[in-house]
Amino acid sequence: DVKKVTSVTYSVRYNNGEYVEDERLTKQEYSFNRAGDLTEYSYKDYEDSEYSYRETYDYDSKRNELKYRKYDSDDHIVEKDKNKYDKQGNLTEASDIDDNKTCYTYENGNLVRKDSYYSDGSKRGYSKFEYDSDGNEIEEYKYDCSDHTSTRDLKEYDSEGNIVSEAHYWCDELLSATVYSYDTDSNCIFEQHFDEYGDVDRTIVSEYHNGNLVSRIWCDGAGEITSS
């Protein structure tokens, strides 16, 4: 059985306070299989049909996404992804519309390496991942096709598994860094971003009550409030 949900957006026009007509602007349709997985999505733009498109999704018996396709307004395929999985449901291989391929390697359930290849089989680059004793990802190193390190991402966690800091590097040069603080319910209440020079770029302060966000304030590098 297929379940379909339709959402339509209208523009309503009035003249001297009196309703005149409404104009259909867009229509979105969602189709789901019996398991509740999205199998097709379509977007129709009545004002400019060029922006209309649809997407389809195929799954295996374990509900892993096997194929994805995106069609333009003329129903030509413009994006296409194909995936493979191991017996544990881990993604092991993904390919795109140009037949570029990415392969994934796992150890103890953690992704430890990701290799990318061009359609002719030549290497594009790869990434390596390291984890702490709790299974949290703490390092990611990205390498180019010549085995040179391009980027490096480092993360630290608290005892609850929340990220308390992360830093991004280009080779050995800092690109950006962020620190986080949490309340006793693991809601992030303080977030501060730093630029490549180590200077504060922006700060976000949040307040929660019974798990619900009640306020959030954004400040620039000088501490001036920019939004709340």
Side-chain angles (χ1 to χ4, degrees), residues 25-81:
L25 299 179
T26 65
K27 182 172 74 170
Q28 299 178 74
E29 290 187 329
Y30 306 80
S31 296
F32 302 87
N33 59 21
R34 183 177 297 179
D37 302 311
L38 178 66
T39 57
E40 184 168 350
Y41 167 77
S42 64
Y43 174 85
K44 185 171 184 179
D45 190 318
Y46 290 96
E47 292 187 312
D48 192 340
S49 61
E50 183 180 347
Y51 292 104
S52 299
Y53 65 93
R54 69 183 182 94
E55 300 170 331
T56 61
Y57 304 82
D58 294 335
Y59 303 87
D60 63 16
S61 59
K62 296 181 179 179
R63 301 179 66 183
N64 296 310
E65 184 182 310
L66 294 177
K67 295 179 180 179
Y68 162 80
R69 296 181 181 87
K70 182 177 181 179
Y71 301 81
D72 63 16
S73 57
D74 295 320
D75 217 32
H76 298 143
I77 295 179
V78 292
E79 292 182 30
K80 182 173 66 174
D81 297 327

CSV table of all heavy atoms in Angstrom, one decimal, residues 25-81:
chain,number,residue,atom,x,y,z
A,25,LEU,N,0.1,28.4,-6.2
A,25,LEU,CA,1.5,28.7,-6.5
A,25,LEU,C,2.4,27.4,-6.6
A,25,LEU,O,3.1,27.3,-7.6
A,25,LEU,CB,2.1,29.6,-5.3
A,25,LEU,CG,1.4,30.9,-5.1
A,25,LEU,CD1,2.0,31.6,-3.9
A,25,LEU,CD2,1.5,31.8,-6.4
A,26,THR,N,2.3,26.6,-5.6
A,26,THR,CA,3.1,25.4,-5.7
A,26,THR,C,2.3,24.2,-5.2
A,26,THR,O,1.3,24.3,-4.4
A,26,THR,CB,4.4,25.5,-4.8
A,26,THR,OG1,4.0,25.6,-3.4
A,26,THR,CG2,5.2,26.7,-5.2
A,27,LYS,N,2.8,23.0,-5.5
A,27,LYS,CA,2.2,21.8,-5.0
A,27,LYS,C,3.3,20.8,-4.7
A,27,LYS,O,4.2,20.6,-5.5
A,27,LYS,CB,1.2,21.1,-6.0
A,27,LYS,CG,0.6,19.9,-5.5
A,27,LYS,CD,-0.5,19.4,-6.4
A,27,LYS,CE,0.0,18.7,-7.6
A,27,LYS,NZ,-1.1,18.0,-8.4
A,28,GLN,N,3.3,20.2,-3.5
A,28,GLN,CA,4.2,19.2,-3.2
A,28,GLN,C,3.5,17.9,-2.8
A,28,GLN,O,2.5,17.9,-2.1
A,28,GLN,CB,5.0,19.6,-1.9
A,28,GLN,CG,5.8,20.9,-2.1
A,28,GLN,CD,6.5,21.4,-0.9
A,28,GLN,OE1,7.5,20.8,-0.5
A,28,GLN,NE2,6.0,22.4,-0.3
A,29,GLU,N,4.0,16.8,-3.4
A,29,GLU,CA,3.4,15.5,-3.1
A,29,GLU,C,4.4,14.5,-2.6
A,29,GLU,O,5.6,14.4,-3.1
A,29,GLU,CB,2.8,14.9,-4.4
A,29,GLU,CG,1.6,15.7,-4.9
A,29,GLU,CD,0.9,15.0,-6.0
A,29,GLU,OE1,1.6,14.3,-6.8
A,29,GLU,OE2,-0.4,15.1,-6.1
A,30,TYR,N,4.1,13.8,-1.5
A,30,TYR,CA,4.9,12.8,-0.9
A,30,TYR,C,4.3,11.5,-0.9
A,30,TYR,O,3.1,11.3,-0.6
A,30,TYR,CB,5.2,13.2,0.6
A,30,TYR,CG,5.7,14.6,0.9
A,30,TYR,CD1,4.8,15.7,0.8
A,30,TYR,CD2,7.0,14.8,1.1
A,30,TYR,CE1,5.3,17.0,1.1
A,30,TYR,CE2,7.5,16.1,1.4
A,30,TYR,CZ,6.6,17.2,1.4
A,30,TYR,OH,7.0,18.5,1.6
A,31,SER,N,5.0,10.5,-1.4
A,31,SER,CA,4.5,9.1,-1.4
A,31,SER,C,5.4,8.2,-0.5
A,31,SER,O,6.6,8.3,-0.5
A,31,SER,CB,4.5,8.5,-2.8
A,31,SER,OG,3.7,9.2,-3.7
A,32,PHE,N,4.7,7.4,0.3
A,32,PHE,CA,5.4,6.5,1.3
A,32,PHE,C,5.0,5.1,1.1
A,32,PHE,O,3.9,4.8,0.7
A,32,PHE,CB,5.0,7.0,2.7
A,32,PHE,CG,5.4,8.4,3.0
A,32,PHE,CD1,4.4,9.4,2.8
A,32,PHE,CD2,6.6,8.7,3.6
A,32,PHE,CE1,4.7,10.7,3.1
A,32,PHE,CE2,6.9,10.0,3.9
A,32,PHE,CZ,5.9,11.1,3.6
A,33,ASN,N,5.9,4.2,1.3
A,33,ASN,CA,5.6,2.8,1.3
A,33,ASN,C,5.0,2.3,2.6
A,33,ASN,O,4.8,3.1,3.5
A,33,ASN,CB,6.8,1.9,0.9
A,33,ASN,CG,8.0,2.1,1.9
A,33,ASN,OD1,7.7,2.5,3.1
A,33,ASN,ND2,9.2,1.8,1.5
A,34,ARG,N,4.7,1.0,2.7
A,34,ARG,CA,4.0,0.5,3.9
A,34,ARG,C,4.8,0.7,5.1
A,34,ARG,O,4.3,0.8,6.2
A,34,ARG,CB,3.7,-1.0,3.7
A,34,ARG,CG,2.9,-1.6,4.8
A,34,ARG,CD,2.5,-3.0,4.5
A,34,ARG,NE,1.7,-3.1,3.3
A,34,ARG,CZ,1.2,-4.3,2.8
A,34,ARG,NH1,1.6,-5.4,3.4
A,34,ARG,NH2,0.5,-4.3,1.8
A,35,ALA,N,6.2,0.7,5.0
A,35,ALA,CA,7.1,0.8,6.1
A,35,ALA,C,7.2,2.3,6.6
A,35,ALA,O,7.8,2.6,7.6
A,35,ALA,CB,8.4,0.2,5.8
A,36,GLY,N,6.7,3.2,5.8
A,36,GLY,CA,6.7,4.6,6.1
A,36,GLY,C,7.9,5.3,5.5
A,36,GLY,O,8.2,6.5,5.8
A,37,ASP,N,8.6,4.7,4.6
A,37,ASP,CA,9.7,5.3,3.9
A,37,ASP,C,9.3,6.1,2.7
A,37,ASP,O,8.4,5.7,2.0
A,37,ASP,CB,10.7,4.2,3.4
A,37,ASP,CG,11.3,3.4,4.5
A,37,ASP,OD1,11.7,3.9,5.5
A,37,ASP,OD2,11.2,2.1,4.4
A,38,LEU,N,9.9,7.3,2.5
A,38,LEU,CA,9.5,8.1,1.4
A,38,LEU,C,10.0,7.5,0.1
A,38,LEU,O,11.2,7.2,0.0
A,38,LEU,CB,10.2,9.5,1.6
A,38,LEU,CG,10.0,10.5,0.5
A,38,LEU,CD1,8.6,11.0,0.4
A,38,LEU,CD2,10.9,11.7,0.7
A,39,THR,N,9.1,7.3,-0.8
A,39,THR,CA,9.5,6.6,-2.1
A,39,THR,C,9.4,7.6,-3.2
A,39,THR,O,10.1,7.4,-4.2
A,39,THR,CB,8.5,5.5,-2.4
A,39,THR,OG1,7.1,6.0,-2.4
A,39,THR,CG2,8.6,4.4,-1.4
A,40,GLU,N,8.7,8.7,-3.1
A,40,GLU,CA,8.7,9.7,-4.2
A,40,GLU,C,8.3,11.0,-3.6
A,40,GLU,O,7.4,11.1,-2.8
A,40,GLU,CB,7.7,9.3,-5.3
A,40,GLU,CG,7.7,10.3,-6.5
A,40,GLU,CD,7.0,9.7,-7.7
A,40,GLU,OE1,6.7,8.5,-7.7
A,40,GLU,OE2,6.8,10.5,-8.7
A,41,TYR,N,8.9,12.1,-4.1
A,41,TYR,CA,8.6,13.4,-3.7
A,41,TYR,C,8.6,14.3,-5.0
A,41,TYR,O,9.4,14.1,-5.9
A,41,TYR,CB,9.6,14.0,-2.8
A,41,TYR,CG,9.5,15.5,-2.6
A,41,TYR,CD1,8.6,16.1,-1.8
A,41,TYR,CD2,10.4,16.4,-3.3
A,41,TYR,CE1,8.4,17.4,-1.7
A,41,TYR,CE2,10.3,17.8,-3.2
A,41,TYR,CZ,9.3,18.3,-2.3
A,41,TYR,OH,9.2,19.7,-2.2
A,42,SER,N,7.5,15.1,-5.2
A,42,SER,CA,7.4,15.9,-6.4
A,42,SER,C,7.1,17.3,-5.9
A,42,SER,O,6.4,17.6,-5.0
A,42,SER,CB,6.4,15.4,-7.3
A,42,SER,OG,5.1,15.5,-6.8
A,43,TYR,N,7.7,18.3,-6.7
A,43,TYR,CA,7.5,19.7,-6.4
A,43,TYR,C,7.1,20.3,-7.7
A,43,TYR,O,7.8,20.3,-8.7
A,43,TYR,CB,8.8,20.3,-5.9
A,43,TYR,CG,8.7,21.8,-5.7
A,43,TYR,CD1,8.2,22.4,-4.5
A,43,TYR,CD2,9.2,22.7,-6.7
A,43,TYR,CE1,8.1,23.8,-4.4
A,43,TYR,CE2,9.1,24.1,-6.6
A,43,TYR,CZ,8.6,24.6,-5.4
A,43,TYR,OH,8.5,26.0,-5.3
A,44,LYS,N,5.9,21.0,-7.7
A,44,LYS,CA,5.5,21.6,-8.9
A,44,LYS,C,5.3,23.1,-8.7
A,44,LYS,O,4.7,23.5,-7.7
A,44,LYS,CB,4.1,21.1,-9.4
A,44,LYS,CG,3.6,21.6,-10.7
A,44,LYS,CD,2.4,20.9,-11.2
A,44,LYS,CE,2.0,21.4,-12.6
A,44,LYS,NZ,0.8,20.7,-13.1
A,45,ASP,N,6.0,23.9,-9.5
A,45,ASP,CA,5.9,25.4,-9.4
A,45,ASP,C,5.0,25.9,-10.5
A,45,ASP,O,5.4,25.7,-11.7
A,45,ASP,CB,7.3,26.0,-9.6
A,45,ASP,CG,7.4,27.4,-9.2
A,45,ASP,OD1,6.5,28.2,-9.6
A,45,ASP,OD2,8.4,27.9,-8.5
A,46,TYR,N,3.9,26.4,-10.2
A,46,TYR,CA,2.9,26.9,-11.2
A,46,TYR,C,3.3,28.2,-11.8
A,46,TYR,O,2.9,28.5,-12.9
A,46,TYR,CB,1.5,27.0,-10.6
A,46,TYR,CG,0.9,25.7,-10.2
A,46,TYR,CD1,1.0,25.2,-8.9
A,46,TYR,CD2,0.2,24.9,-11.1
A,46,TYR,CE1,0.5,23.9,-8.6
A,46,TYR,CE2,-0.3,23.7,-10.8
A,46,TYR,CZ,-0.2,23.2,-9.5
A,46,TYR,OH,-0.7,22.0,-9.2
A,47,GLU,N,4.2,29.0,-11.2
A,47,GLU,CA,4.6,30.2,-11.7
A,47,GLU,C,5.8,30.0,-12.7
A,47,GLU,O,5.9,30.7,-13.7
A,47,GLU,CB,5.0,31.2,-10.6
A,47,GLU,CG,3.9,31.6,-9.7
A,47,GLU,CD,4.3,32.7,-8.7
A,47,GLU,OE1,5.3,32.5,-8.1
A,47,GLU,OE2,3.6,33.7,-8.7
A,48,ASP,N,6.7,29.1,-12.4
A,48,ASP,CA,7.8,28.8,-13.3
A,48,ASP,C,8.0,27.3,-13.3
A,48,ASP,O,8.7,26.8,-12.4
A,48,ASP,CB,9.0,29.6,-12.8
A,48,ASP,CG,10.2,29.6,-13.9
A,48,ASP,OD1,10.1,28.7,-14.7
A,48,ASP,OD2,11.1,30.4,-13.8
A,49,SER,N,7.5,26.7,-14.3
A,49,SER,CA,7.6,25.2,-14.4
A,49,SER,C,9.0,24.7,-14.4
A,49,SER,O,9.3,23.5,-14.1
A,49,SER,CB,6.9,24.7,-15.6
A,49,SER,OG,7.4,25.2,-16.8
A,50,GLU,N,10.0,25.6,-14.8
A,50,GLU,CA,11.4,25.2,-14.9
A,50,GLU,C,11.9,24.7,-13.5
A,50,GLU,O,12.8,23.9,-13.4
A,50,GLU,CB,12.2,26.3,-15.4
A,50,GLU,CG,13.7,26.0,-15.5
A,50,GLU,CD,14.5,27.1,-16.1
A,50,GLU,OE1,13.9,28.1,-16.5
A,50,GLU,OE2,15.8,27.1,-16.0
A,51,TYR,N,11.3,25.2,-12.4
A,51,TYR,CA,11.7,24.8,-11.1
A,51,TYR,C,11.0,23.6,-10.6
A,51,TYR,O,11.3,23.2,-9.4
A,51,TYR,CB,11.5,26.0,-10.1
A,51,TYR,CG,12.4,27.2,-10.4
A,51,TYR,CD1,11.9,28.3,-11.0
A,51,TYR,CD2,13.7,27.2,-10.1
A,51,TYR,CE1,12.7,29.4,-11.3
A,51,TYR,CE2,14.5,28.3,-10.3
A,51,TYR,CZ,14.0,29.4,-10.9
A,51,TYR,OH,14.8,30.5,-11.2
A,52,SER,N,10.2,23.0,-11.3
A,52,SER,CA,9.5,21.8,-10.9
A,52,SER,C,10.5,20.6,-11.1
A,52,SER,O,11.3,20.5,-11.9
A,52,SER,CB,8.3,21.5,-11.8
A,52,SER,OG,7.4,22.6,-11.6
A,53,TYR,N,10.3,19.6,-10.2
A,53,TYR,CA,11.2,18.4,-10.2
A,53,TYR,C,10.5,17.3,-9.4
A,53,TYR,O,9.5,17.6,-8.7
A,53,TYR,CB,12.6,18.7,-9.7
A,53,TYR,CG,12.6,19.1,-8.2
A,53,TYR,CD1,12.8,18.1,-7.2
A,53,TYR,CD2,12.4,20.4,-7.8
A,53,TYR,CE1,12.9,18.4,-5.9
A,53,TYR,CE2,12.5,20.7,-6.4
A,53,TYR,CZ,12.7,19.7,-5.5
A,53,TYR,OH,12.7,20.1,-4.2
A,54,ARG,N,11.0,16.1,-9.5
A,54,ARG,CA,10.6,15.0,-8.6
A,54,ARG,C,11.8,14.1,-8.3
A,54,ARG,O,12.8,14.1,-9.0
A,54,ARG,CB,9.5,14.2,-9.3
A,54,ARG,CG,9.9,13.4,-10.5
A,54,ARG,CD,8.7,12.7,-11.1
A,54,ARG,NE,9.1,11.9,-12.2
A,54,ARG,CZ,9.4,10.6,-12.2
A,54,ARG,NH1,9.2,9.9,-11.0
A,54,ARG,NH2,9.7,9.9,-13.2
A,55,GLU,N,11.6,13.4,-7.2
A,55,GLU,CA,12.7,12.5,-6.7
A,55,GLU,C,12.1,11.2,-6.3
A,55,GLU,O,10.9,11.1,-5.9
A,55,GLU,CB,13.3,13.1,-5.4
A,55,GLU,CG,14.0,14.5,-5.6
A,55,GLU,CD,14.4,15.1,-4.3
A,55,GLU,OE1,13.7,14.9,-3.2
A,55,GLU,OE2,15.3,15.9,-4.3
A,56,THR,N,12.8,10.1,-6.6
A,56,THR,CA,12.4,8.8,-6.3
A,56,THR,C,13.4,8.1,-5.4
A,56,THR,O,14.6,8.3,-5.5
A,56,THR,CB,12.1,7.9,-7.5
A,56,THR,OG1,13.3,7.8,-8.3
A,56,THR,CG2,11.0,8.6,-8.4
A,57,TYR,N,13.0,7.2,-4.5
A,57,TYR,CA,13.8,6.4,-3.6
A,57,TYR,C,13.5,5.0,-3.6
A,57,TYR,O,12.3,4.6,-3.6
A,57,TYR,CB,13.7,7.0,-2.2
A,57,TYR,CG,13.9,8.5,-2.0
A,57,TYR,CD1,12.9,9.4,-2.3
A,57,TYR,CD2,15.1,9.0,-1.6
A,57,TYR,CE1,13.1,10.7,-2.2
A,57,TYR,CE2,15.3,10.3,-1.4
A,57,TYR,CZ,14.3,11.2,-1.8
A,57,TYR,OH,14.5,12.6,-1.7
A,58,ASP,N,14.5,4.1,-3.7
A,58,ASP,CA,14.3,2.7,-3.6
A,58,ASP,C,15.0,2.1,-2.4
A,58,ASP,O,16.1,2.6,-2.0
A,58,ASP,CB,14.8,1.9,-4.9
A,58,ASP,CG,14.0,2.3,-6.1
A,58,ASP,OD1,12.9,2.7,-6.0
A,58,ASP,OD2,14.6,2.2,-7.2
A,59,TYR,N,14.5,1.1,-1.8
A,59,TYR,CA,15.0,0.5,-0.5
A,59,TYR,C,15.2,-1.0,-0.6
A,59,TYR,O,14.5,-1.6,-1.4
A,59,TYR,CB,14.1,0.9,0.7
A,59,TYR,CG,13.9,2.4,0.8
A,59,TYR,CD1,12.8,3.0,0.2
A,59,TYR,CD2,14.7,3.1,1.7
A,59,TYR,CE1,12.6,4.4,0.3
A,59,TYR,CE2,14.5,4.5,1.8
A,59,TYR,CZ,13.4,5.1,1.1
A,59,TYR,OH,13.2,6.5,1.3
A,60,ASP,N,16.0,-1.5,0.2
A,60,ASP,CA,16.1,-3.0,0.3
A,60,ASP,C,15.2,-3.4,1.5
A,60,ASP,O,14.4,-2.6,2.1
A,60,ASP,CB,17.6,-3.5,0.6
A,60,ASP,CG,18.2,-2.9,1.9
A,60,ASP,OD1,17.4,-2.5,2.8
A,60,ASP,OD2,19.4,-3.0,2.0
A,61,SER,N,15.2,-4.7,1.8
A,61,SER,CA,14.3,-5.3,2.7
A,61,SER,C,14.6,-4.8,4.2
A,61,SER,O,13.7,-4.9,5.0
A,61,SER,CB,14.3,-6.8,2.7
A,61,SER,OG,15.7,-7.3,3.0
A,62,LYS,N,15.8,-4.2,4.4
A,62,LYS,CA,16.1,-3.7,5.7
A,62,LYS,C,15.9,-2.2,5.7
A,62,LYS,O,16.4,-1.5,6.7
A,62,LYS,CB,17.6,-4.0,6.0
A,62,LYS,CG,17.8,-5.5,6.2
A,62,LYS,CD,19.3,-5.8,6.5
A,62,LYS,CE,19.6,-7.3,6.7
A,62,LYS,NZ,21.0,-7.5,7.0
A,63,ARG,N,15.3,-1.6,4.7
A,63,ARG,CA,14.9,-0.2,4.7
A,63,ARG,C,16.1,0.7,4.4
A,63,ARG,O,16.1,1.9,4.7
A,63,ARG,CB,14.2,0.3,5.9
A,63,ARG,CG,12.9,-0.5,6.2
A,63,ARG,CD,12.2,-0.1,7.4
A,63,ARG,NE,11.7,1.3,7.3
A,63,ARG,CZ,11.1,2.0,8.3
A,63,ARG,NH1,10.9,1.4,9.5
A,63,ARG,NH2,10.7,3.2,8.1
A,64,ASN,N,17.2,0.1,3.9
A,64,ASN,CA,18.4,0.9,3.5
A,64,ASN,C,18.1,1.5,2.1
A,64,ASN,O,17.6,0.8,1.3
A,64,ASN,CB,19.6,0.1,3.5
A,64,ASN,CG,20.0,-0.5,4.8
A,64,ASN,OD1,20.1,0.3,5.8
A,64,ASN,ND2,20.3,-1.8,4.9
A,65,GLU,N,18.4,2.8,2.0
A,65,GLU,CA,18.2,3.4,0.7
A,65,GLU,C,19.2,2.9,-0.4
A,65,GLU,O,20.4,3.0,-0.2
A,65,GLU,CB,18.4,4.9,0.8
A,65,GLU,CG,18.0,5.7,-0.5
A,65,GLU,CD,18.3,7.2,-0.4
A,65,GLU,OE1,17.7,7.7,0.6
A,65,GLU,OE2,19.0,7.7,-1.2
A,66,LEU,N,18.7,2.2,-1.4
A,66,LEU,CA,19.5,1.7,-2.5
A,66,LEU,C,19.7,2.6,-3.6
A,66,LEU,O,20.9,2.7,-4.1
A,66,LEU,CB,18.9,0.4,-3.0
A,66,LEU,CG,18.8,-0.8,-2.1
A,66,LEU,CD1,18.0,-2.0,-2.7
A,66,LEU,CD2,20.2,-1.2,-1.6
A,67,LYS,N,18.7,3.3,-4.0
A,67,LYS,CA,18.8,4.2,-5.2
A,67,LYS,C,18.0,5.5,-5.0
A,67,LYS,O,17.0,5.5,-4.3
A,67,LYS,CB,18.2,3.5,-6.5
A,67,LYS,CG,19.0,2.3,-6.9
A,67,LYS,CD,18.3,1.6,-8.1
A,67,LYS,CE,19.0,0.4,-8.6
A,67,LYS,NZ,18.4,-0.2,-9.8
A,68,TYR,N,18.6,6.5,-5.5
A,68,TYR,CA,18.0,7.9,-5.4
A,68,TYR,C,18.1,8.5,-6.8
A,68,TYR,O,19.1,8.4,-7.5
A,68,TYR,CB,18.7,8.8,-4.4
A,68,TYR,CG,18.4,10.2,-4.6
A,68,TYR,CD1,17.2,10.8,-4.2
A,68,TYR,CD2,19.3,11.1,-5.3
A,68,TYR,CE1,16.9,12.1,-4.4
A,68,TYR,CE2,19.0,12.4,-5.5
A,68,TYR,CZ,17.8,12.9,-5.0
A,68,TYR,OH,17.6,14.3,-5.2
A,69,ARG,N,17.0,9.0,-7.3
A,69,ARG,CA,17.0,9.7,-8.6
A,69,ARG,C,16.3,11.0,-8.5
A,69,ARG,O,15.2,11.1,-7.9
A,69,ARG,CB,16.4,8.8,-9.7
A,69,ARG,CG,17.1,7.6,-10.0
A,69,ARG,CD,16.4,6.8,-11.1
A,69,ARG,NE,17.0,5.5,-11.4
A,69,ARG,CZ,16.8,4.4,-10.8
A,69,ARG,NH1,15.9,4.4,-9.8
A,69,ARG,NH2,17.4,3.3,-11.1
A,70,LYS,N,16.8,12.0,-9.2
A,70,LYS,CA,16.1,13.3,-9.3
A,70,LYS,C,15.9,13.7,-10.7
A,70,LYS,O,16.8,13.5,-11.6
A,70,LYS,CB,17.0,14.4,-8.6
A,70,LYS,CG,16.3,15.8,-8.6
A,70,LYS,CD,17.1,16.8,-7.9
A,70,LYS,CE,16.4,18.2,-7.9
A,70,LYS,NZ,17.2,19.2,-7.1
A,71,TYR,N,14.7,14.1,-11.0
A,71,TYR,CA,14.3,14.4,-12.4
A,71,TYR,C,13.9,15.9,-12.5
A,71,TYR,O,13.3,16.4,-11.6
A,71,TYR,CB,13.0,13.6,-12.8
A,71,TYR,CG,13.2,12.1,-12.7
A,71,TYR,CD1,13.1,11.4,-11.5
A,71,TYR,CD2,13.5,11.3,-13.9
A,71,TYR,CE1,13.3,10.0,-11.4
A,71,TYR,CE2,13.7,9.9,-13.8
A,71,TYR,CZ,13.6,9.3,-12.6
A,71,TYR,OH,13.7,7.9,-12.5
A,72,ASP,N,14.3,16.5,-13.6
A,72,ASP,CA,14.0,17.9,-13.8
A,72,ASP,C,12.6,18.0,-14.4
A,72,ASP,O,11.8,17.0,-14.4
A,72,ASP,CB,15.0,18.5,-14.8
A,72,ASP,CG,15.0,17.9,-16.2
A,72,ASP,OD1,14.0,17.2,-16.5
A,72,ASP,OD2,16.0,18.2,-16.9
A,73,SER,N,12.2,19.2,-14.7
A,73,SER,CA,10.8,19.5,-15.2
A,73,SER,C,10.4,18.8,-16.5
A,73,SER,O,9.3,18.6,-16.8
A,73,SER,CB,10.6,21.0,-15.3
A,73,SER,OG,11.6,21.5,-16.3
A,74,ASP,N,11.5,18.4,-17.2
A,74,ASP,CA,11.2,17.6,-18.5
A,74,ASP,C,11.3,16.1,-18.2
A,74,ASP,O,11.4,15.3,-19.2
A,74,ASP,CB,12.2,18.0,-19.6
A,74,ASP,CG,12.0,19.4,-20.0
A,74,ASP,OD1,10.8,19.9,-20.1
A,74,ASP,OD2,13.0,20.2,-20.2
A,75,ASP,N,11.4,15.7,-17.0
A,75,ASP,CA,11.5,14.3,-16.5
A,75,ASP,C,12.8,13.6,-17.0
A,75,ASP,O,12.9,12.4,-17.2
A,75,ASP,CB,10.3,13.5,-17.0
A,75,ASP,CG,9.9,12.5,-16.0
A,75,ASP,OD1,10.1,12.7,-14.8
A,75,ASP,OD2,9.4,11.4,-16.3
A,76,HIS,N,13.9,14.4,-17.1
A,76,HIS,CA,15.2,13.9,-17.4
A,76,HIS,C,16.0,13.7,-16.1
A,76,HIS,O,15.9,14.6,-15.2
A,76,HIS,CB,16.0,14.8,-18.3
A,76,HIS,CG,15.4,15.0,-19.6
A,76,HIS,ND1,15.4,16.2,-20.3
A,76,HIS,CD2,14.7,14.1,-20.4
A,76,HIS,CE1,14.8,16.1,-21.5
A,76,HIS,NE2,14.4,14.8,-21.6
A,77,ILE,N,16.7,12.7,-15.9
A,77,ILE,CA,17.5,12.4,-14.7
A,77,ILE,C,18.6,13.4,-14.6
A,77,ILE,O,19.5,13.5,-15.5
A,77,ILE,CB,18.0,11.0,-14.7
A,77,ILE,CG1,16.9,10.0,-14.6
A,77,ILE,CG2,19.0,10.8,-13.5
A,77,ILE,CD1,17.3,8.5,-14.6
A,78,VAL,N,18.7,14.2,-13.5
A,78,VAL,CA,19.8,15.1,-13.3
A,78,VAL,C,20.7,14.7,-12.1
A,78,VAL,O,21.8,15.2,-12.0
A,78,VAL,CB,19.2,16.5,-13.1
A,78,VAL,CG1,18.6,17.1,-14.4
A,78,VAL,CG2,18.2,16.6,-11.9
A,79,GLU,N,20.2,13.9,-11.2
A,79,GLU,CA,21.0,13.3,-10.1
A,79,GLU,C,20.6,11.9,-10.0
A,79,GLU,O,19.5,11.5,-10.1
A,79,GLU,CB,20.7,14.1,-8.8
A,79,GLU,CG,21.2,15.5,-8.8
A,79,GLU,CD,21.0,16.2,-7.5
A,79,GLU,OE1,21.0,15.5,-6.5
A,79,GLU,OE2,20.8,17.4,-7.5
A,80,LYS,N,21.6,11.1,-9.6
A,80,LYS,CA,21.4,9.7,-9.4
A,80,LYS,C,22.4,9.1,-8.5
A,80,LYS,O,23.6,9.3,-8.7
A,80,LYS,CB,21.5,8.9,-10.8
A,80,LYS,CG,21.2,7.4,-10.7
A,80,LYS,CD,21.1,6.8,-12.1
A,80,LYS,CE,22.4,6.8,-12.8
A,80,LYS,NZ,22.4,6.1,-14.1
A,81,ASP,N,22.0,8.5,-7.4
A,81,ASP,CA,22.9,7.8,-6.4
A,81,ASP,C,22.5,6.4,-6.3
A,81,ASP,O,21.3,6.0,-6.3
A,81,ASP,CB,22.8,8.5,-5.1
A,81,ASP,CG,23.2,10.0,-5.1
A,81,ASP,OD1,24.1,10.3,-5.9
A,81,ASP,OD2,22.7,10.8,-4.4
